[in-house]
Amino acid sequence: MHMTQPLHMSITVEISSSLRIWIIDNLERGTSPAAMTEMLIGRKFEPSVARGLIGSFLSARAAGRALPEASVQVEMEPPRYVYEAARVGPGHLIRACGHEIRVLQRLQKPVIVMLQGVMSAAECAQLIDMARPRLRSSTVIDSATGANVTVDHRRSEGMFFRPSENPFIAELDNRLAAIMNSPTRNGEGLQVLRYGCGGQYPPHFDFLDPASPLGAQSIARSGQRIGTLIVYLNDVIGGGETVFPEVGLSVVPHRGNGLYFEYANSRKQVDPRSAHGGAPVTLGEKWIVTKWMRSQEFVPAAYEGAEGLATRK
Ligand code: PD2
Ligand code: ZN
């Protein structure tokens, strides 16, 4: 999904004469705005209404304007994303289908886990060999028209495997789902991407946009995307890091290593801090395989599994 700022909504808050007197009285007695806000929250005011209400009196007073009378416009903050326990297991090792995968680093907000030894060098080479003849110029869905359009066709190419389409792919589907602590049937088909020199993936979200028709239809069939596991299939000579601009994190690709991150919780919220992108490859090429996990069994539509669901800004 393309990057959007969280929606801010402004509402009108009625001010009773007793509330007005209480605010003015406390301001004159030198009560701190933070304490007044807390008192209002204690009286069941929405936190952003309480902050906006007190703020409107403070800013009017500071500017020498008349204090608000009967009502005031207040900006409502969007509800904060609630972080839950990471779906990947705790500890230094993750055991998945007979493989021991080493945990290198973890971040909690957003949940990001760096993994070592998700795939062997031979498996990376085999996957590249299987994907190469099926690569097509990468496309994304234009949010304005709904059409598939080509992104920079010289610099990034991709293909999808059907879930469990052969024993090798089935083994990878099972292993990656086990690492993600989700049923294999909830996983989308593996996508292999190849970036040439200059190739990049602008920052975006992997979760689906419930406000777009295609996103809503896909969520209705298979649930929201809840997490991503990228495995780097080669050592990139220059650039090609996966970056998380909201947290200032940059992950260097190493063959066989995995990058897991999640962005949806049981409250159906999605995490705006999970924005991520692929930095330009400055030397050589970059190959990755991506597993996207759904909250329910993945039921593809005709276009899914063929083109993917990333949406261009
Ligand atoms: O190639 C990457 O590092 C990258 C960056 C952002 C991959 C994806 N997103 C993805 O596969 O979703
Ligand atoms: Zn992505």
Side-chain angles (χ1 to χ4, degrees), residues 55-271:
S56 66
F57 278 79
L58 286 173
S59 52
R61 204 169 65 156
R65 282 187 271 112
L67 296 178
E69 290 279 348
S71 68
V72 70
Q73 285 294 115
V74 164
E75 284 285 314
M76 293 292 286
E77 296 154 17
R80 292 227 178 108
Y81 182 81
V82 177
Y83 289 95
E84 298 173 345
R87 290 185 188 88
V88 295
H92 296 190
L93 281 180
I94 294 175
R95 290 187 173 79
C97 307
H99 291 257
E100 286 199 337
I101 289 123
R102 188 170 292 279
V103 176
L104 297 177
Q105 259 156 357
R106 293 174 189 268
L107 194 72
Q108 282 176 347
K109 298 176 183 180
V111 171
I112 301 176
V113 185
M114 272 82 100
L115 302 163
Q116 190 178 43
V118 176
M119 288 172 63
S120 69
E123 287 173 326
C124 293
Q126 187 175 346
L127 194 61
I128 289 175
D129 284 348
M130 286 172 74
R132 195 189 296 275
R134 290 163 60 179
L135 289 177
R136 297 283 174 272
S137 301
S138 294
T139 60
V140 294
I141 296 164
D142 189 310
S143 53
T145 63
N148 274 309
V149 290
T150 303
V151 239
D152 191 339
H153 51 280
R154 286 159 298 130
R155 295 189 176 159
S156 136
E157 304 163 281
M159 57 78 62
F160 281 85
F161 289 99
R162 292 181 302 284
S164 300
E165 75 166 55
N166 63 43
F168 176 64
I169 295 299
E171 192 189 329
L172 292 179
D173 284 334
N174 287 332
R175 188 187 311 163
L176 301 190
I179 295 170
M180 301 170 91
N181 221 346
S182 286
T184 302
R185 65 178 178 280
N186 291 15
E188 296 183 27
L190 290 172
Q191 185 195 40
V192 171
L193 269 186
R194 177 198 167 272
Y195 303 83
C197 195
Q200 61 180 303
Y201 200 157
H204 60 273
F205 300 110
D206 282 1
F207 52 73
L208 306 174
D209 180 2
S212 82
L214 286 179
Q217 286 161 24
S218 185
I219 292 171
R221 272 192 308 276
S222 314
Q224 179 59 277
R225 279 185 180 163
I226 57 175
T228 300
L229 176 53
I230 294 172
V231 184
Y232 301 102
L233 300 177
N234 71 326
D235 289 324
V236 182
I237 305 171
E241 301 89 348
T242 306
V243 296
F244 291 79
E246 296 296 325
V247 282
L249 178 70
S250 155
V251 179
V252 175
H254 283 298
R255 185 176 61 189
N257 279 10
L259 170 64
Y260 168 81
F261 50 99
E262 58 189 44
Y263 35 74
N265 63 18
S266 62
R267 301 164 187 239
K268 297 190 188 292
Q269 293 178 308
V270 289
D271 185 0

Side-chain angles (χ1 to χ4, degrees), residues 9-16 19 45 48-49 52-53 56 68-76:
M9 196 175 63
S10 127
I11 60 160
T12 306
V13 178
E14 307 284 333
I15 309 173
S16 67
L19 176 61
F45 276 70
S48 44
V49 170
L53 195 54
S56 66
E69 290 279 348
S71 68
V72 70
Q73 285 294 115
V74 164
E75 284 285 314
M76 293 292 286

